[in-house]
Amino acid sequence: SGIAYLNSEEPIMVIKHCPASKALGAVISGIDLAKPIDGKTVGALKEIWAENLVMIFRNQSLSDDDLIRFSSYFGECEKAPIGDSVLGPNIPPEITVVSNVKENGKTIGFLGTGELTWHTDMSYIPEPADASGLYAIEVANGPGGETSFLNMFSAFETLPPSLLAKIKGRTANHDSSYTSAGTLRTGLPEVTDVRKAPGAHHPLLRTHPVTKRTALYLGRRPNSYILNLPVPESETLLDEIWSHTTQEQFVYQHRWVKGDFVFWDNRCVMHRREPFDSGERRIMHRTQLKGASPYYHP
Ligand code: OGA
Ligand code: MN
């Protein structure tokens, strides 16, 4: 569909969007994110986002300030997570550099070149980031480095009734010890008992505050624990939930091109990354929006 707007500076701006996949995602064209966007267009984007969960913009040429300004139309930009970020001299605090590139022997970003397992950003804190955006500055020559997104509304809606019954009313601990790359965060001990892992407790089902739809909310599999269950039962139930959730039919895989900006809703989307060749250079700048405590209204 296309929407035409009369805008004071531009003669006519037409934004168009088409589905990125059957599962989720919209590719939005006809918009230059390097320029301020009027309220009407932001409203249209919010609608597209609520429906498609992931917004994909191509052929952009954006500064960090552009990324922060655009992201801020959808909420409040949050500072990069402590410990994760490698703060460069010219990087604003709202930007996290995700990169394997080394300059003068020091890495300029985080998350390396390995696989990032399925996760949703920051779920290990009480108020996880509502949304995240990644802007591709340098991309790895593939295959490798693709980012996949998974529709957690669909994962919820297709739960077999018997599995849904076991999930309802349950809360999980979201371990904060390890990154999605599987590395132990600085200063934290290894997890030997999932019941004692640090992190945040969230309901397995959450209500989306904007659309009021229900999504599964899993965070990440390693060291996850469903409260008030014996560990073996929690493990079995988690395995069952995860094997249902990680079905191809719920997934869109994004192959990055320099200039892509992808903005997703962490409240209803999980993502993962394919590993890429360590001889390749990949530089992404990330923004994230401040979140609120997840809740579930049956
Ligand atoms: C992240 C992340 C994926 C990627 O920055 O939170 O998961 O493809 N990145 O780099
Ligand atoms: Mn992530």
Side-chain angles (χ1 to χ4, degrees), residues 98 111 116 119 121 134 145-147 180 256 264 271 273 282 284 286:
V98 175
L111 293 177
L116 304 183
H119 67 281
D121 289 335
L134 272 181
E146 299 86 358
T147 308
S180 52
W256 293 95
W264 66 89
H271 56 284
R273 182 188 73 191
R282 187 179 190 264
M284 317 287 268
R286 174 174 128 188

Side-chain angles (χ1 to χ4, degrees), residues 1 38 48 156 186 213-214 217 264:
S1 62
D38 64 90
I48 296 169
F156 165 74
T186 324
R213 295 174 74 191
T214 305
Y217 192 61
W264 66 89

Side-chain angles (χ1 to χ4, degrees), residues 65-76:
D65 286 345
D66 293 336
L67 288 172
I68 295 165
R69 183 189 57 251
F70 179 76
S71 303
S72 302
Y73 292 133
F74 304 91
E76 192 186 328

Side-chain angles (χ1 to χ4, degrees), residues 271-284:
H271 56 284
R272 66 176 287 273
R273 182 188 73 191
E274 301 295 333
F276 60 96
D277 193 296
S278 54
E280 298 285 339
R281 285 169 62 95
R282 187 179 190 264
I283 305 176
M284 317 287 268

Side-chain angles (χ1 to χ4, degrees), residues 33 153 267:
L33 309 189
F153 291 133
R267 298 166 291 194

